[in-house]
Amino acid sequence: MRKIELIIEIKRRVCMLTAIFDNGRRISLGERWSKEELLHLRKEGTFLCPQCKERVILKLGDKKMYHFSHLKRTECENFYENETEYHMQGKLQLYQWLAKQGMKPELEYFDRRINQRMDIYFTFNNHPYALEYQCSSIQESLYLKRTLGYLKSGYLPLWILGGNQLNRRKQYLTTLNDFHYLFLQKTPSNTWMIPFYCSNTEKFIIHHSIQPVTIRKMISVQKIYETSQISIKNLLIPQNTDPLCPEHWIKEISLFKSQIIRYPGSINNPFLLALYNNYLNISLLPPYLGLPVLGSTCIATPPLIWQTFIFVDVFLKQKRDVLFTFNDVYQAFLNRVHKGHIQIRKIAFINIEETVSSLIHHYLLLLVKIKILTESNNNSFKINQPIYIPRTIDEQHILENTFYQEFSTVIF
Ligand SMILES: [Zn+2]
């Protein structure tokens, strides 16, 4: 028993890549040291932790990367991520990647004002950045606390997830949990992305144009870059990427439908009730229900479901040629949110009202582009033709094919 405790104790000891030498000089292992130079330093003096000022020792073994390790457990444990080799390697590689671009980064920079230690500090376009390389799950509250701390002190936080967090099911399909969703970043073109970095392969894996299909599964355009192929500018201000592949989207939506048919769950499921009460069959829905819409990452409820709610709550109730407004749709949506039928995803530092309103706006504009609605003045809309519901599965497939052939370039 004691042996086990001892091992855990050793494992927990905080490791790092920077320390203060006797003469007060900061020693960063991010700089290029030879083993001889480091052996010499170690012989000549002692090292202290820059943060708690406790003694640390320089480990120069052949099995693990060179690092400093605390002699005993300290308060530092509250500040450092459980430093696995994977994390330390990645931190070092990201530091070197920034240094090569002339960014003058600082490894394990500790800001006393906020009592926070970031993996890497750097400036870009005159903005100070706090880069955090996150390879293990942390509590949402801790993520928020750290991010807020940075923002309040004028840093722009840049969170990069460890490639070890990536759960790729197919080349275009990834499963994200609530923890991953914290790392969603809005690009200047209003799409969503999450950057990953794998320290084993030394590659960035960037998920662009993320579109959820179900509560966990999302489709994205995945780009893999060697560190030499991508700059910090490309990462922070990504250029437009390739569009999503329509075939993948259609396939996953259809898989989702068959999943609901096979496992319908409770009879009180509000989505199934909405279909039932409106004499609809999930296999015979019009093809424009379940579209990728800009901003739908902020809704945990799958797009097929929230779009069907709008369809039954607003469109099916409209009399021909009668106008309805953006606000009618927005209120109907909020109504479902209040009833708990539509779940909003918690995304840090995003104004939910604004995001939902902009999502509905994008959705209505998309429906105009695909000729389901016409927009008249004053933000009012009307349905273009009597709503047609396919009567057989064959007919639904034909309609769906024709629909995507005609509008793919508009939708994706
Ligand atoms: Zn310390």
Side-chain angles (χ1 to χ4, degrees), residues 14 16 49-54 56 70 74-76 80:
V14 172
M16 55 235 261
C49 167
Q51 198 170 321
C52 67
K53 307 287 189 246
E54 289 288 339
V56 292
H70 284 68
T74 69
E75 56 171 59
C76 274
Y80 285 72

Side-chain angles (χ1 to χ4, degrees), residues 105 134 231 255 258 263-264 302:
Q134 196 64 39
S231 68
L255 269 175
S258 45
Y263 311 105

Side-chain angles (χ1 to χ4, degrees), residues 43-171:
K43 215 170 123 196
E44 291 296 301
T46 50
F47 301 98
L48 299 182
C49 167
Q51 198 170 321
C52 67
K53 307 287 189 246
E54 289 288 339
R55 181 86 192 275
V56 292
I57 45 170
L58 175 55
K59 299 251 183 158
L60 298 171
D62 293 326
K63 281 198 188 129
K64 276 184 100 179
M65 62 187 290
Y66 301 162
H67 64 277
F68 297 101
S69 173
H70 284 68
L71 273 173
K72 54 182 183 191
R73 298 189 61 178
T74 69
E75 56 171 59
C76 274
E77 283 162 25
N78 305 325
F79 295 93
Y80 285 72
E81 181 179 348
N82 185 13
E83 298 270 348
T84 55
E85 176 99 359
Y86 185 88
H87 178 250
M88 274 203 292
Q89 286 282 10
K91 190 160 64 172
L92 192 64
Q93 289 160 8
L94 288 169
Y95 166 84
Q96 283 160 353
W97 171 68
L98 288 166
K100 260 189 200 157
Q101 298 169 61
M103 310 302 297
K104 296 192 179 133
E106 257 192 68
L107 202 53
E108 297 176 346
Y109 179 76
F110 184 67
D111 187 324
R112 294 213 173 270
R113 292 175 303 161
I114 46 172
N115 213 20
Q116 272 178 252
R117 191 215 55 136
M118 57 200 80
D119 281 332
I120 302 168
Y121 162 83
F122 68 94
T123 55
F124 174 71
N125 277 352
N126 295 325
H127 277 295
Y129 276 83
L131 189 156
E132 291 277 7
Y133 180 49
Q134 196 64 39
C135 301
S136 58
S137 287
I138 50 167
Q139 294 286 330
E140 184 183 345
S141 54
L142 182 60
Y143 166 85
L144 293 176
K145 193 175 151 237
R146 281 200 207 163
T147 304
L148 255 182
Y150 290 141
L151 288 172
K152 275 185 184 165
S153 308
Y155 296 101
L156 292 171
L158 169 62
W159 292 82
I160 298 179
L161 269 174
N164 60 349
Q165 293 289 317
L166 203 51
N167 182 6
R168 264 202 290 179
R169 296 161 69 109
K170 295 172 193 163
Q171 214 223 331

Side-chain angles (χ1 to χ4, degrees), residues 186-200:
K186 209 174 192 177
T187 68
S189 52
N190 276 337
T191 62
W192 294 85
M193 60 99 101
I194 303 184
F196 290 85
Y197 179 77
C198 175
S199 64
N200 285 340

